[in-house]
Amino acid sequence: MTDVIMIPLTKLVEGKDNVRRSNRKGGVAELAASIKALGLLQSIVVKETGKGKFAVIAGGRRLRALRMLAKTGDVEKSALIPCRVISGDDNATELSLAENVQRQDLAIHEELAAFQVLVDAGEGPESIAARFGVSPQHVARRLKLARVSPRLIEALKRREVTIDQLAALAVIDDHAAQERAFFDAPGWARSPERLRAQVTQAHVPETDKLARFVGLDEYQSAGGAVVSDLFAETEDNTRYFADRDLLTRLAAAKLEPLAEQARVEGWAWVEIAIDGVAWTQFPDRIREHRRDFSEDERAEHDRLLAQLDATEDEAEIEKIEAAIDAMAASEWDAREVALAGAIITLSHTGEPKVERGLVKADDAKALKSLRRKFAKTHASHPADEKDAEDAAAAAAARGPRLPAKLVDELMAHKTLALRTEIATKPDLALRLLGSRLN
């Protein structure tokens, strides 16, 4: 093999003796960025073709990267490229195979250390990414891994920890916590998922109902720290609220106005339960009752229903429905309210809600006694019961209380549901057909 000589880029062609056949375009853009920033660090091995051209035996990716730079104007199309020319006596295939087989990739811990050295020298992630043809996110991830516990880096060198495990631990910056999560766990509990769950168990993910309710801006304004998971598989990096206690205090303060409003309603007790309602603590629950209409209210209700059936205007329909809903207001029995309470909590989507009418075990006996007393009083006035039955019969005789449009829509849904059910159950359909034929 000769010494290095300079050959114009236009005289270089891809050689048939190059053993690399697959993934010929992989990494070309990244290599082009590196050559643009640092120059060609390794010469190309070529062989004369006898036509004034030189076939590339080893360095096909470098040739494609140089052509890419020439196309974008970053290098001259006829730029001189350092090449080693092999003679006809040399085995071109053997040389190409040797370069590809004998090459050893950089170890991951060496790559991490190299990126950290560049940053320590004043290079920014964006600049490093541009020079080496990788994404800024790739650089940020490598730098994040480079800052994990030195003990874990040593374990990475010994191949005792994988890069995925290291990524899971890198979600937090606490070296002691990282080491405890990995080294104190048995081998079967060191999956990336388990490790990530271990180091973030005291954190609150941004998708949690508590984080949604408080909001990122309010949390950070109160001095809360946020941790990002650069290795999340979603497009947006998953973020964690690191201070659960602060987040809980902010949520409680934000729910306090709802609690105060509930206290004004006269409940025996009102509590804030951010994590949800422990239903087993409440053996009973009271319900609100729909109040009875006066004669004037009943007439107005019937008038609104008739008006709803007659109109086709969407705005008018919405207005009438709102008026009907306002008339259908319900009310709580004040005697029961004195024995029950309300809990202010959050839905799974982070929306505040009030659970009213909950009865604690200590008050369940008193509520049962109150209901028995009411039942006895009701039973001792049969005339009142007869009047109520007569009133109900009279109301039923006046016709349906639902708008005709709503009845038609409900019937359509009923028919569609029956069709769907029969279509999914051939045995039922066959029985129904048989009954019709009989």
Side-chain angles (χ1 to χ4, degrees):
M1 188 177 294
T2 66
D3 293 333
V4 175
I5 63 172
M6 307 302 289
I7 300 175
L9 178 59
T10 53
K11 291 185 177 294
L12 298 179
V13 296
E14 296 201 33
K16 296 180 181 180
D17 294 317
N18 194 317
V19 297
R20 186 181 293 275
R21 295 287 185 265
S22 61
N23 195 26
R24 295 171 64 84
K25 296 182 179 180
V28 173
E30 292 83 349
L31 181 56
S34 175
I35 294 174
K36 178 182 176 181
L38 305 172
L40 188 62
L41 302 180
Q42 184 179 358
S43 60
I44 297 176
V45 180
V46 299
K47 177 181 179 180
E48 287 191 74
T49 64
K51 299 179 182 179
K53 300 288 185 178
F54 293 84
V56 175
I57 304 304
R61 274 199 329 130
R62 277 163 275 165
L63 175 61
R64 289 187 285 276
L66 288 166
R67 285 176 173 174
M68 181 180 292
L69 292 174
K71 189 174 182 179
T72 57
D74 292 307
V75 300
E76 295 292 336
K77 292 183 178 180
S78 59
L80 297 178
I81 308 301
C83 300
R84 289 184 180 273
V85 183
I86 64 173
S87 66
D89 297 332
D90 294 322
N91 189 320
T93 301
E94 183 179 347
L95 289 172
S96 177
L97 180 62
E99 180 179 87
N100 286 280
V101 171
Q102 299 301 324
R103 181 176 57 190
Q104 186 174 3
D105 292 334
L106 189 68
I108 183 63
H109 66 272
E110 294 173 332
E111 181 185 349
L112 301 183
F115 275 125
Q116 188 62 54
V117 169
L118 292 175
V119 170
D120 293 341
E123 292 280 356
E126 295 286 344
S127 173
I128 295 174
R131 290 174 61 186
F132 291 94
V134 295
S135 67
Q137 184 185 51
H138 176 82
V139 177
R141 286 176 171 177
R142 287 298 189 254
L143 292 174
K144 187 73 171 177
L145 292 175
R147 289 192 288 267
V148 300
S149 162
R151 185 181 175 190
L152 286 166
I153 294 294
E154 290 300 318
L156 179 66
K157 294 178 182 179
R158 297 191 300 270
R159 298 185 180 182
E160 296 174 357
V161 58
T162 67
I163 192 66
D164 290 335
Q165 290 172 322
L166 207 64
L169 296 168
V171 174
I172 62 172
D173 297 324
D174 187 338
H175 287 181
Q178 291 172 348
E179 293 175 7
R180 285 195 303 270
F182 184 81
F183 293 108
D184 292 353
W188 59 265
R190 290 178 177 177
S191 67
E193 295 76 17
R194 285 180 176 271
L195 292 174
R196 183 177 287 104
Q198 176 68 21
V199 296
T200 59
Q201 62 179 347
H203 295 42
V204 180
E206 190 177 20
T207 54
D208 185 84
K209 63 180 182 180
L210 191 59
R212 288 182 178 181
F213 176 63
V214 174
L216 179 63
D217 293 339
E218 185 173 342
Y219 170 76
Q220 288 184 315
S221 297
V226 177
V227 176
S228 295
D229 184 2
L230 295 177
F231 303 91
E233 295 181 357
T234 55
E235 292 184 3
D236 297 328
N237 296 332
T238 301
R239 290 182 292 190
Y240 294 90
F241 291 38
D243 195 336
R244 179 182 287 273
D245 291 339
L246 173 61
L247 193 61
T248 301
R249 292 197 301 272
L250 292 173
K254 201 170 180 179
L255 290 173
E256 183 58 34
L258 285 177
E260 188 59 34
Q261 180 182 344
R263 294 187 186 100
V264 174
E265 296 172 3
W267 297 102
W269 51 268
V270 176
E271 298 175 0
I272 294 177
I274 294 175
D275 292 331
V277 181
W279 296 106
T280 56
Q281 298 181 8
F282 308 104
D284 208 340
R285 187 172 188 174
I286 66 173
R287 303 290 181 180
E288 52 187 338
H289 310 285
R290 188 179 297 276
R291 65 181 182 83
D292 296 328
F293 285 161
S294 65
E295 288 300 324
D296 291 341
E297 287 175 330
R298 190 178 301 280
E300 174 64 13
H301 189 259
D302 292 342
R303 186 188 69 80
L304 289 172
L305 291 178
Q307 187 178 355
L308 183 62
D309 288 335
T311 185
E312 297 291 341
D313 182 70
E314 292 293 335
E316 185 68 16
I317 290 175
E318 185 175 345
K319 181 179 178 181
I320 295 172
E321 288 179 342
I324 292 175
D325 291 341
M327 292 188 66
S330 55
E331 60 185 5
W332 299 88
D333 187 318
R335 295 168 298 179
E336 292 182 338
V337 169
L339 296 173
I343 287 184
I344 319 299
T345 186
L346 296 174
S347 69
H348 69 281
T349 59
E351 296 294 328
K353 63 177 181 178
V354 182
E355 296 286 356
R356 296 178 173 86
L358 303 178
V359 180
K360 293 182 177 180
D362 294 341
D363 298 317
K365 186 175 180 180
L367 178 63
K368 289 181 179 179
S369 176
L370 177 64
R371 287 172 173 171
R372 283 196 299 267
K373 183 178 179 181
F374 175 78
K376 288 180 181 179
T377 303
H378 186 67
S380 65
H381 294 81
D384 294 342
E385 184 176 350
K386 182 64 169 59
D387 292 342
E389 293 176 354
D390 293 342
R398 286 198 296 269
R401 301 302 306 276
L402 295 175
K405 289 180 180 178
L406 178 58
V407 173
D408 291 341
E409 185 176 350
L410 290 174
M411 289 300 296
H413 281 288
K414 176 184 176 182
T415 302
L416 182 60
L418 289 173
R419 287 178 179 176
T420 304
E421 188 70 11
I422 293 173
T424 57
K425 295 183 178 179
D427 293 343
L428 174 61
L430 184 60
R431 290 198 298 272
L432 290 174
L433 178 61
S435 65
R436 295 292 293 176
L437 293 176
N438 292 334

